[in-house]
Amino acid sequence: MSDVETGTITTKVPARLDRLPWSRWHWMIVIGLGTVWILDGLEVTIVGNLSAQLAKPGSGLDITQTQVAGTAAALYVAGACLGALFFGWLTDRFGRKKLFIITLVVYLVATLLTAFSFSAWWFFLFRFMTGFGIGGEYAAINSAIDELIPSRHRGRIDIIINGSYWLGAAGGALLTVPLLNDLPVNIGWRVAFGLGVVLGLAILLVRRHVPESPRWLFIHGRDREAEQLVDDIEHQIGRDDLPEPEQSITIHQRKSIGFVRIAHTMVALYPKRTVLGLSLFIGQAFLYNAITFGYAQILSTFFKIDTHTGYYFAVIAIGNFLGPLLLGPLFDTVGRVPMISSTYIGSGVLLLGTAWLFNEGMLNAVTLTACWSVVLFVASAGASSAYLTVSEIFPMETRAMAIAFFFAVGTAAGGIAGPLVFSSLVESGVPGDTALAFSIGGIIMIAAGLVEVFLGVKAERRGLEDIAAPLSTAS
């Protein structure tokens, strides 16, 4: 599809959004949009911790633990990759708001149908569809958040929101303990998926009040609507007296941006940024898929723990959330490049140390969990910064597709291959094989950190249009 130009306007909407003081309105954006990561964490963790239970006789499914941790996990990630690409394209074309409603509905329906699984193929199908909805969320939500949050807060807010995945992971891990121990084997796992639906419905109610991105509106020929929306925001936060910003931008409005233009932007205009985005996503995907999908399998295989895995995973999840929460502000003050590179390289080195200790037989379930908590405290802030990076270093017209592309390629490399390879290594029961899985994740993470050192973009406290001018910008 070719570009369709509709007119030329000059606007101060981006500068007006960036100068807004933090308010209850911004908290509404964070709660309405950011909580989707809690759902993703809940989903992945529930399945990981239920893997042993689903494989038991009488569960209602003829499935093995390796199929749950390997095949089902890979299908979930494959669905997320395809969903990100499909819904990412629609998000740039039809707007952020329509898509972050549609993708949540897809997630809700797929999760509900997963709870009614009666065979392995049904379970696999709706794990794929659940991922399809979640993948679309990544593109729509990250685009909207970055375009609505003031530039001086963008780094910490984006990183903390992405890190909230681990609040869902902690909740999912703790929920599985009573569900596994107090309910029949064929009921507990179904209730676990049902709880995800309840949380998703609550988020849907809040999300209805989140507006369309004014930045998307003025580029797509709806500049009057964009100006009125910013007027309303200023009125809601009680700051109608804010001084008018001097900075403005002139753009050629368009109804659509062609695929050829998008591809040219990423490959020809920003080749170094494209390499950077791929490196960060592949690095974090391999590190996390060395452990996230298979930790319950590790505890079951090496330490004979299969019904209380949730307690161990909850500890890891808390460490994961504390990383972005405590380190997030530094990405706006110390800067993107030093913080991203140090979190990637640091977590990779720590993971290599954990692999050595595990291979030497020096760890038990408690100490292994402690090691992982430290590794992921550092890694989680870095992984969250990958989403932040690709959502702010490319032009606005391609933002959702850029997020979708890097998420899909990076996650496919680490998120589909990772669970399949790592679950097979763990299944062997040989400590050296599992240590190898840890080492692969650590080495790739370090490599990604080195790419950030040389190709990183200093985006802290800068407006999105300053980091990457819209393709529609007039000369």
Side-chain angles (χ1 to χ4, degrees):
M1 184 179 292
S2 60
D3 295 1
V4 180
E5 187 175 325
T6 61
T8 301
I9 65 160
T10 298
T11 181
K12 296 182 179 180
V13 163
R16 292 175 67 190
L17 288 170
D18 281 340
R19 87 197 196 296
L20 291 174
W22 190 261
S23 65
R24 287 182 60 190
W25 184 85
H26 293 101
W27 280 117
M28 183 267 290
I29 299 298
V30 170
I31 294 171
L33 298 182
T35 42
V36 68
W37 272 254
I38 297 177
L39 284 179
D40 192 13
L42 188 73
E43 278 292 317
V44 173
T45 309
I46 282 177
V47 175
N49 284 283
L50 292 175
S51 60
Q53 193 82 347
L54 285 165
K56 289 182 177 180
S59 71
L61 292 179
D62 182 16
I63 197 169
T64 67
Q65 186 172 10
T66 300
Q67 284 179 313
V68 176
T71 306
L75 285 171
Y76 176 86
V77 174
C81 293
L82 293 176
L85 291 171
F86 177 69
F87 289 120
W89 171 66
L90 293 179
T91 298
D92 278 334
R93 182 166 173 77
F94 296 109
R96 287 35 172 151
K97 185 176 177 67
K98 288 181 181 178
L99 271 299
F100 62 59
I101 296 294
I102 292 172
T103 52
L104 183 55
V105 171
V106 171
Y107 160 82
L108 290 172
V109 172
T111 301
L112 181 62
L113 292 174
T114 302
F116 290 97
S117 295
F118 56 87
S119 66
W121 71 264
W122 182 278
F123 184 80
F124 291 151
L125 172 62
F126 286 102
R127 288 309 294 160
F128 174 86
M129 291 306 302
T130 302
F132 194 73
I134 286 291
E137 288 274 286
Y138 281 117
I141 300 304
N142 270 308
S143 299
I145 288 173
D146 277 9
E147 290 167 11
L148 292 169
I149 298 298
S151 57
R152 62 189 178 281
H153 300 293
R154 189 176 61 242
R156 71 193 72 189
I157 295 301
D158 205 312
I159 286 173
I160 291 172
I161 284 176
N162 279 282
S164 69
Y165 170 99
W166 293 101
L167 287 178
L174 293 174
L175 279 173
T176 58
V177 175
L179 294 177
L180 292 179
N181 290 280
D182 300 336
L183 293 177
V185 67
N186 65 328
I187 298 296
W189 64 270
R190 299 182 190 274
V191 174
F193 285 111
L195 292 174
V197 176
V198 173
L199 178 59
L201 286 172
I203 294 173
L204 184 61
L205 292 175
V206 177
R207 189 172 289 182
R208 292 181 307 154
H209 303 291
V210 176
E212 180 57 86
S213 164
R215 284 177 158 100
W216 184 88
L217 288 171
F218 74 68
I219 281 184
H220 288 78
R222 296 162 63 181
D223 48 292
R224 292 184 180 178
E225 190 176 340
E227 298 285 351
Q228 183 59 53
L229 180 54
V230 178
D231 288 341
D232 292 342
I233 295 171
E234 292 172 347
H235 179 69
Q236 287 182 47
I237 66 176
R239 296 301 301 270
D240 294 314
D241 59 339
L242 289 170
E244 189 71 13
E246 296 181 2
Q247 187 176 4
S248 62
I249 183 172
T250 301
I251 59 108
H252 299 298
Q253 294 175 310
R254 285 178 166 85
K255 287 291 185 182
S256 63
I257 299 292
F259 278 116
V260 173
R261 185 76 182 275
I262 292 173
H264 179 267
T265 299
M266 299 177 69
V267 176
L269 294 183
Y270 296 105
K272 293 181 180 179
R273 295 185 182 189
T274 299
V275 172
L276 173 64
L278 287 174
S279 300
L280 295 181
F281 264 92
I282 291 173
Q284 62 89 24
F286 264 98
L287 181 141
Y288 273 93
N289 288 286
I291 186 63
T292 301
F293 288 121
Y295 198 60
Q297 186 183 11
I298 292 172
L299 294 175
S300 175
T301 301
F302 293 98
F303 307 114
K304 309 306 177 186
I305 298 170
D306 60 2
T307 59
H308 291 81
T309 56
Y311 289 133
Y312 296 90
F313 201 92
V315 173
I316 288 177
I318 291 171
N320 266 287
F321 179 64
L322 289 176
L325 183 65
L326 299 178
L327 300 179
L330 300 177
F331 287 78
D332 283 325
T333 54
V334 175
R336 302 286 201 265
V337 176
M339 287 305 301
I340 295 173
S341 59
S342 62
T343 51
Y344 267 76
I345 295 172
S347 60
V349 171
L350 289 170
L351 184 51
L352 291 178
T354 301
W356 180 80
L357 292 172
F358 185 84
N359 188 55
E360 295 298 312
M362 300 171 66
L363 300 176
N364 55 34
V366 174
T367 53
L368 177 61
T369 301
C371 287
W372 269 107
S373 296
V374 175
V375 171
L376 298 179
F377 173 86
V378 180
S380 183
S384 296
S385 70
Y387 293 92
L388 168 65
T389 298
V390 299
S391 66
E392 64 184 3
I393 63 174
F394 291 96
M396 207 222 83
E397 299 92 332
T398 67
R399 181 163 293 122
M401 272 303 297
I403 297 168
F405 171 76
F406 291 111
F407 172 81
V409 175
T411 305
I416 297 177
L420 294 173
V421 173
F422 297 147
S423 63
S424 299
L425 290 172
V426 173
E427 187 180 30
S428 71
V430 178
D433 290 345
T434 299
L436 175 61
F438 293 174
S439 299
I440 293 172
I443 291 171
I444 295 178
M445 196 73 168
I446 292 171
L450 294 175
V451 173
E452 173 68 28
V453 171
F454 294 102
L455 301 182
V457 178
K458 296 179 179 180
E460 59 273 7
R461 305 177 73 86
R462 295 171 62 191
L464 293 173
E465 292 73 21
D466 182 38
I467 300 169
L471 299 178
S472 308
T473 302
S475 299

